[in-house]
Amino acid sequence: MKECGTILSDREMSRTLERLAFEIYERHGDDETVAILGIQRRGADLAERLKKLLDERLGRKVPLGKLDINLYRDDWTTNLELAPTINCSEIGYDVEGRTIVLVDDVLYSGRTVRAALEAILDYGRPKQVELLVLVDRGHRELPIQADYVGKRVDTLGDEHVNVLVVERDDEDKVCLVRGD
């Protein structure tokens, strides 16, 4: 197993999510058109946690959805070995006219976010889409920036950021893995 340098511990990850939830609240207050939409898989897990924090702060239920972007990706069509694992999208609210806070674990090239924006438009036309990421590691290939960032990490091309969540990995941790 490759060496994993810790970027965020479980406590730091929890505090970061609390801060991000507060930033959403600070920007939108009691706006009832705000909904959370997590990109499958780990972005959806983080979105659920943010929803709980916002529900608690607002005293009401914030709409939550999960978005599968695999059929919208532009990389798997050129490499058949990367055939996508299809999850399901679960959006139990009308996106039309809403402010959608799109949640993902890591922002890298911007291609996942591009695919997510395309997928969202298949459900309707939101008033606004804001992007929240736990980690922004740079190296953008598209002109996409996050509105809310948990942590910015400068990485080299051969480094990867792994986000572990207790829901899938039995622990919360963000780490930097060096080399291929």
Side-chain angles (χ1 to χ4, degrees):
M1 183 166 167
K2 294 183 190 272
E3 183 180 328
C4 176
T6 301
I7 296 170
L8 292 173
S9 68
D10 60 342
R11 290 185 69 200
E12 292 167 325
M13 195 165 148
S14 179
R15 277 196 318 265
T16 299
L17 289 170
E18 288 174 16
R19 176 179 53 80
L20 291 168
F22 188 77
E23 287 179 25
I24 295 168
Y25 173 72
E26 193 174 50
R27 184 175 291 180
H28 295 290
D30 293 330
D31 182 353
E32 293 193 15
T33 69
V34 173
I36 307 293
L37 185 59
I39 298 175
Q40 291 277 26
R41 300 182 347 150
R42 285 171 179 77
D45 297 331
L46 297 173
E48 254 184 77
R49 294 188 201 183
L50 288 164
K51 178 213 180 336
K52 287 177 186 170
L53 292 165
L54 286 168
D55 286 354
E56 197 173 288
R57 180 164 298 280
L58 293 168
R60 66 175 169 83
K61 302 284 185 199
V62 175
L64 172 69
K66 297 178 182 181
L67 185 67
D68 179 39
I69 55 94
N70 282 311
L71 291 177
Y72 297 88
R73 295 179 60 98
D74 62 5
D75 56 354
W76 72 269
T77 57
T78 57
N79 184 347
L80 296 179
E81 291 177 20
L82 294 176
T85 302
I86 306 301
N87 295 295
C88 65
S89 292
E90 299 171 20
I91 303 174
Y93 53 83
D94 187 6
V95 303
E96 198 75 30
R98 284 203 181 267
T99 295
I100 304 290
V101 179
L102 182 64
V103 179
D104 203 7
D105 55 351
V106 178
L107 177 57
Y108 177 45
S109 67
R111 293 188 178 277
T112 297
V113 175
R114 184 221 45 89
L117 292 170
E118 191 175 326
I120 290 168
L121 292 176
D122 279 350
Y123 288 89
R125 185 171 186 240
K127 175 175 73 173
Q128 177 181 16
V129 178
E130 296 178 337
L131 178 60
L132 181 148
V133 297
L134 184 61
V135 178
D136 182 346
R137 64 168 285 203
H139 301 280
R140 221 71 80 238
E141 295 173 6
L142 299 171
I144 291 174
Q145 297 299 320
D147 299 281
Y148 309 94
V149 177
K151 183 148 182 114
R152 292 185 200 285
V153 178
D154 292 325
T155 61
L156 300 174
D158 68 338
E159 295 175 323
H160 302 278
V161 174
N162 289 343
V163 174
L164 306 177
V165 292
V166 72
E167 295 89 343
R168 296 181 190 282
D169 310 300
D170 297 324
E171 69 176 319
D172 282 338
K173 182 177 172 182
V174 178
C175 58
L176 182 66
V177 178
R178 300 185 196 295
D180 290 331

